[in-house]
């Protein structure tokens, strides 16, 4: 499984756009990139998944450059309720075993 | 998306005793995972449980300490045996719906405190 590296923590303010970048230099051809969000006292929740280029859903956007060695989760206009830990995972489909790195603790300030 | 129910949601146990955590899924799933998350830390995979076969344990985790059952495609249990304060943690159940192609779903977790 490709190892991932993320910033340990980030701070932002309400209404700002937040971009969290994840490095995965050893990503394999059949690996997908998946981001999860975890609030205190809850299990992680799937946010978005992508393979290449850009993916957007109602919650976030995921930008993946052509070499796929990194990815950026973009949260538009964050609110206080976006304060959480965000995990980037890289693994292939078929025999997917979610393996979590340290994650990024995002704190959104008023 | 799969809905996962874990029981109990929390418990306080005496050292030396055992606790069995239940994980119920509202749909049939092939793979189920058990994780441990210590305070302020990331999730650590304990084992993968497939129906009809013995669980596969990760390095540092053994069957005698964390026996797992997987009697059918919607249910699994994890037992934390002979507990010590170091076992105080959140234990999470997760499932892989293969049709979703790498999206995993998690239960709310069981917060265990060993005194």
């Amino acid at each position: 499984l490709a190892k991932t590296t993320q910033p340990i923590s980030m701070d932002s303010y309400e209404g700002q756009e937040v971009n969290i970048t994840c490095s995965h230099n050893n990503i394999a051809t059949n690996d997908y990139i998946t981001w999860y969000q975890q609030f205190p006292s809850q299990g992680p929740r799937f946010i978005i998944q992508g393979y290449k280029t850009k993916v957007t859903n109602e919650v976030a956007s995921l930008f993946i450059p052509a070499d796929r060695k990194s990815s950026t989760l973009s949260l538009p206009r964050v609110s206080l309720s976006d304060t959480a830990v965000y995990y980037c995972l890289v693994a292939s489909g078929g025999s997917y075993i979610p393996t979590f790195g340290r994650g990024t603790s995002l704190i959104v300030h008023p | 998306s799969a809905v996962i129910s874990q029981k109990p949601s929390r418990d306080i146990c005496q050292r030396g005793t055992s606790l069995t955590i239940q994980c119920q899924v509202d749909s049939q799933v092939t793979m189920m995972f058990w994780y441990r998350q210590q305070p302020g830390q990331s999730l650590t995979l304990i084992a993968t449980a497939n129906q009809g076969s013995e669980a596969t344990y990760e390095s540092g985790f053994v069957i005698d300490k964390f026996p797992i059952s997987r009697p059918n495609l919607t249910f699994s249990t994890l037992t934390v045996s002979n507990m010590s304060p170091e076992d105080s943690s959140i234990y999470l159940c997760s499932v892989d719906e293969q049709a979703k192609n790498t999206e995993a779903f998690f239960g709310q977790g069981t917060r265990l405190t060993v005194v």
Side-chain angles (χ1 to χ4, degrees):
Chain A
L1 297 174
K3 182 179 178 180
T4 59
T5 303
Q6 304 172 232
I8 293 175
S9 64
M10 295 183 67
D11 288 87
S12 184
Y13 292 88
E14 285 189 292
Q16 290 189 337
E17 178 184 77
V18 171
N19 296 308
I20 305 174
T21 297
C22 178
S23 297
H24 28 78
N25 292 317
N26 297 322
I27 190 168
T29 303
N30 57 350
D31 283 343
Y32 284 79
I33 301 158
T34 312
W35 285 79
Y36 289 83
Q37 175 191 55
Q38 185 179 28
F39 298 113
S41 300
Q42 294 187 26
R45 181 177 72 103
F46 172 88
I47 300 177
I48 197 167
Q49 181 185 89
Y51 183 80
K52 61 180 178 180
T53 63
K54 176 182 175 182
V55 180
T56 298
N57 61 23
E58 65 277 7
V59 176
S61 295
L62 179 60
F63 299 92
I64 306 169
D67 65 4
R68 304 197 330 121
K69 293 183 182 300
S70 67
S71 59
T72 299
L73 175 72
S74 181
L75 305 172
R77 296 182 297 281
V78 295
S79 64
L80 296 178
S81 61
D82 292 315
T83 293
V85 178
Y86 293 82
Y87 294 97
C88 163
L89 280 72
V90 175
S92 60
S95 58
Y96 179 68
I97 300 177
T99 302
F100 288 78
R102 297 189 63 178
T104 298
S105 176
L106 171 66
I107 298 176
V108 180
H109 302 275
Chain B
S1 62
V3 177
I4 302 168
S5 300
Q6 258 187 259
K7 293 181 181 179
S9 59
R10 60 177 60 225
D11 207 343
I12 300 174
C13 301
Q14 296 290 325
R15 68 176 67 200
T17 63
S18 298
L19 175 71
T20 295
I21 303 168
Q22 299 180 2
C23 179
Q24 179 74 52
V25 190
D26 68 344
S27 60
Q28 294 185 339
V29 294
T30 302
M31 299 177 73
M32 296 181 75
F33 310 99
W34 286 98
Y35 291 84
R36 180 174 72 183
Q37 186 172 29
Q38 295 177 313
Q41 303 295 314
S42 183
L43 286 78
T44 300
L45 182 65
I46 297 172
T48 302
N50 292 333
Q51 192 267 337
S53 63
E54 285 196 4
T56 301
Y57 289 83
E58 297 298 304
S59 175
F61 298 96
V62 295
I63 187 171
D64 290 345
K65 176 66 175 177
F66 298 101
I68 289 172
S69 78
R70 182 78 201 274
N72 56 53
L73 292 174
T74 63
F75 188 78
S76 178
T77 66
L78 169 76
T79 299
V80 186
S81 304
N82 188 25
M83 288 183 285
S84 67
E86 292 72 33
D87 294 319
S88 296
S89 188
I90 297 173
Y91 293 85
L92 293 134
C93 169
S94 173
V95 303
D96 169 10
E97 285 190 330
Q98 285 194 337
K100 288 290 186 179
N101 192 26
T102 79
E103 178 180 350
F105 298 92
F106 288 81
Q108 294 287 73
T110 296
R111 181 180 295 273
L112 170 62
T113 302
V114 183
V115 297

